Amino acid sequence: MEEEALHFHFDVDGNNFASAGEASVQVKRLLRQMGFSPDTIRRISIAMYEGEINMVIHAHGGDADVYVYPDKIRVVLSDTGPGIKDVSLAMQEGYSTAPDNIRSLGFGAGMGLPNMKRYSDKLEVRSTVGVGTVIEMEFISA
Amino acid sequence: MTIREIAQILGASVHTAEEELLDKDIETAFGSDMMSDVLAFADEGSVLLSGLLNPQVIRTAHMLDMPCIVFVRGKKATPEILALAEESRIVVLETPIRLYSACGRLYTAGLDSR
């Protein structure tokens, strides 16, 4: 039985590295207004921010959808990028296919997906090479 | 340790639109140029010391509820970075001191990491 959720949609612009993270900032603000605990909000915004950065680095942007339930938050990030060849490899800390110019910006250390896993209560990655990637994260509110 | 004290110890220039933020008490610090590692390992509410200069440093700090960023090695924040910091209510400090020494001075003065 699914309760009715509040739904927020964000377009993640893939052409502007400087604007990456704007959706996460907005979600942080919204969840604060709704009265979620700082710890829950922090976990969600960090994980979503990593996802946003990944979409900008690898997939020319995409869609971010946030569903807010009374006791949990679901974040769905979908893109039509190149897809992830080996998801279990991508889940390993330190594994990265990001180009050097991204590393010089402070990302691409192979911590994105591991961080999303670390901060979420449930993470599902569905990816097809040449089609795109959908990442679903669930956060139980404390 | 307050942000004001941190600025004094590091001989840093201070950028903020809200003077009262300088009285905020900080208990921990984290030094890194790699934002992915900050997101993975830093404690919330820490001061972030970094030699990396781009808007994502501010966003990273914002996600972790960090109230203050110290740019080390003489890095000067751009107007774009300062505007984003102000919007995020994050104090920006700039010091000529290198990362290792800056961390050392704060550690010696009693600012620990968890």
Side-chain angles (χ1 to χ4, degrees):
Chain A
M1 189 193 75
E2 284 285 80
E3 284 177 78
E4 193 78 2
L6 282 169
H7 174 210
F8 302 96
H9 175 81
F10 305 91
D11 291 316
V12 178
D13 179 3
N15 298 311
N16 187 357
F17 182 76
S19 73
E22 275 176 3
S24 305
V25 170
Q26 286 185 54
V27 167
K28 197 176 171 74
R29 194 175 301 138
L30 283 165
L31 294 177
R32 194 181 293 145
Q33 282 163 6
M34 286 183 226
F36 286 94
S37 76
D39 183 61
T40 301
I41 295 171
R42 204 177 306 117
R43 289 194 298 124
I44 294 167
S45 46
I46 293 172
M48 185 172 162
Y49 177 56
E50 285 279 19
E52 258 193 274
I53 292 280
N54 267 357
M55 282 200 282
V56 174
I57 294 174
H58 296 288
H60 316 293
D63 294 297
D65 289 280
V66 179
Y67 301 88
V68 183
Y69 301 87
D71 56 343
K72 68 177 181 193
I73 290 105
R74 200 154 60 88
V75 177
V76 182
L77 306 168
S78 41
D79 67 61
T80 53
I84 303 168
K85 247 182 234 144
D86 186 336
V87 172
S88 62
L89 200 56
M91 291 303 304
Q92 286 177 21
E93 285 192 9
Y95 178 81
S96 174
T97 59
D100 284 344
N101 67 316
I102 293 303
R103 233 153 276 170
S104 68
L105 292 167
F107 292 90
M111 296 301 288
L113 278 168
N115 271 353
M116 286 184 242
K117 191 177 170 63
R118 184 190 312 245
Y119 290 110
S120 62
D121 293 303
K122 205 166 115 189
L123 170 78
E124 199 185 309
V125 182
R126 298 189 296 273
S127 191
T128 309
V129 172
V131 178
T133 300
V134 178
I135 290 180
E136 270 197 58
M137 292 183 284
E138 209 173 273
F139 304 84
I140 310 294
S141 97
Chain B
M1 184 181 294
T2 63
I3 294 178
R4 198 185 302 277
E5 287 170 315
I6 290 171
Q8 274 161 8
I9 291 164
L10 299 178
S13 53
V14 179
H15 300 272
T16 180
E18 299 171 82
E19 187 78 10
E20 64 272 18
L21 291 180
L22 300 180
D23 295 319
K24 195 162 174 80
D25 198 43
I26 293 186
E27 288 175 11
T28 53
F30 193 87
S32 178
D33 286 356
M34 182 53 82
M35 293 304 110
S36 297
D37 280 351
V38 178
L39 291 166
F41 303 117
D43 296 311
E44 74 272 9
S46 295
V47 54
L48 174 63
L49 295 96
S50 185
L52 184 73
L53 197 67
N54 72 52
Q56 297 306 339
V57 180
I58 307 292
R59 286 232 213 274
T60 298
H62 190 180
M63 296 305 153
L64 282 159
D65 300 319
M66 292 170 148
C68 176
I69 296 172
V70 182
F71 288 115
V72 298
R73 303 193 290 270
K75 308 281 177 191
K76 294 283 175 221
T78 61
E80 184 195 15
I81 290 173
L82 290 176
L84 190 60
E86 197 178 311
E87 193 187 308
S88 314
R89 305 192 68 213
I90 293 170
V91 178
V92 171
L93 306 181
E94 295 162 335
T95 177
I97 302 170
R98 297 176 191 180
L99 181 59
Y100 175 78
S101 307
C103 293
R105 286 197 194 186
L106 294 180
Y107 191 88
T108 307
L111 193 62
D112 211 340
S113 62
R114 213 169 286 161

